[in-house]
Amino acid sequence: PVRDIEGLCYDNKEERLLIAHKSDMGKNSGFKNRSLVYEFNLRSGAVSKKPAYNFDLFAITQFALDNDIISPRKDKKKSGKKKNKPKEAEPDIKLKPSAICIHPVTDKLFAVSAIENKLFIFNRNGTIEHIEKLNKDIFNMPEGITFFDNGDMLISNEGQNKRANILRFNFKK
């Protein structure tokens, strides 16, 4: 069921691979305005028919609004007043993961999105817990994420018009 795979990580707790796709599943798929992560079960050798994670993009957008990660859209009426809730037709945040990984110390699911230039952190239930805006001068195209056993994080960036790099962030409890 997965198209345009960008994110792949090993989940040692569940003995599975998590597979994230970058494409929108489409309005007729039953998953409009969702970002999905499927699982490949290493014991059975099968890809799940149902998503392992089914992220609600409106809930993520609302979290981003509530935590001042993004600004509210302006109402299209002449009043210019700002809306407090995301537009019902389309969420502001798309969450098209270019990479995913599970943190070895906190057991949280991390997703990096090159398109959004953001880092997303979810708990094991799939609830958004944190969003970090990534500085475009430092993260020109974040395409990879992984962790050392001690929790230190590595994020890789494609080169595009600049040099490709890998940045290390030390874990602090």
Side-chain angles (χ1 to χ4, degrees):
V2 182
R3 301 181 303 221
D4 194 15
I5 296 170
E6 287 273 335
L8 178 70
C9 81
Y10 175 60
D11 179 356
N12 66 344
K13 202 175 199 181
E14 302 290 332
E15 293 186 46
R16 63 185 180 175
L17 296 176
L18 294 175
I19 307 164
H21 68 91
K22 206 166 160 178
S23 297
D24 184 4
M25 293 300 282
K27 60 184 174 185
N28 296 326
S29 69
F31 294 112
K32 182 174 171 37
N33 299 318
R34 316 288 286 177
S35 182
L36 307 176
V37 176
Y38 286 87
E39 80 171 57
F40 177 81
N41 186 303
L42 295 170
R43 282 174 256 138
S44 69
V47 175
S48 61
K49 300 268 189 260
K50 274 180 49 181
Y53 291 99
N54 183 346
F55 301 119
D56 180 344
L57 299 180
F58 286 113
I60 294 169
T61 296
Q62 191 61 57
F63 179 90
L65 287 166
D66 293 345
N67 290 281
D68 296 320
I69 307 297
I70 60 172
S71 299
R73 290 184 185 186
K74 288 190 177 182
D75 195 341
K76 291 188 178 184
K77 295 178 184 174
K78 292 181 183 179
S79 68
K81 291 181 182 176
K82 293 183 176 181
K83 294 181 179 183
N84 289 327
K85 294 193 175 188
K87 183 179 164 188
E88 289 304 314
E90 190 176 312
D92 290 339
I93 291 189
K94 306 293 185 222
L95 182 57
K96 295 184 178 205
S98 47
I100 59 173
C101 198
I102 296 172
H103 194 280
V105 177
T106 66
D107 200 40
K108 307 284 184 190
L109 178 66
F110 282 58
V112 66
S113 174
I115 291 169
E116 300 275 345
N117 228 66
K118 290 178 179 56
L119 174 71
F120 300 86
I121 304 173
F122 300 91
N123 66 22
R124 280 292 191 148
N125 295 323
T127 303
I128 186 73
E129 291 191 349
H130 185 77
I131 301 172
E132 190 68 35
K133 289 191 264 186
L134 302 176
N135 181 327
K136 289 186 183 200
D137 293 332
I138 300 169
F139 301 92
N140 64 310
M141 183 65 83
E143 289 285 341
I145 185 170
T146 193
F147 297 96
F148 287 113
D149 289 340
N150 70 351
D152 289 0
M153 178 173 61
L154 299 172
I155 295 180
S156 62
N157 290 281
E158 277 186 8
Q160 287 200 308
N161 298 330
K162 300 178 182 179
R163 278 183 83 167
N165 63 24
I166 298 174
L167 305 169
R168 181 177 181 160
F169 300 89
N170 295 331
F171 177 67
K172 295 178 186 172
K173 289 184 182 181

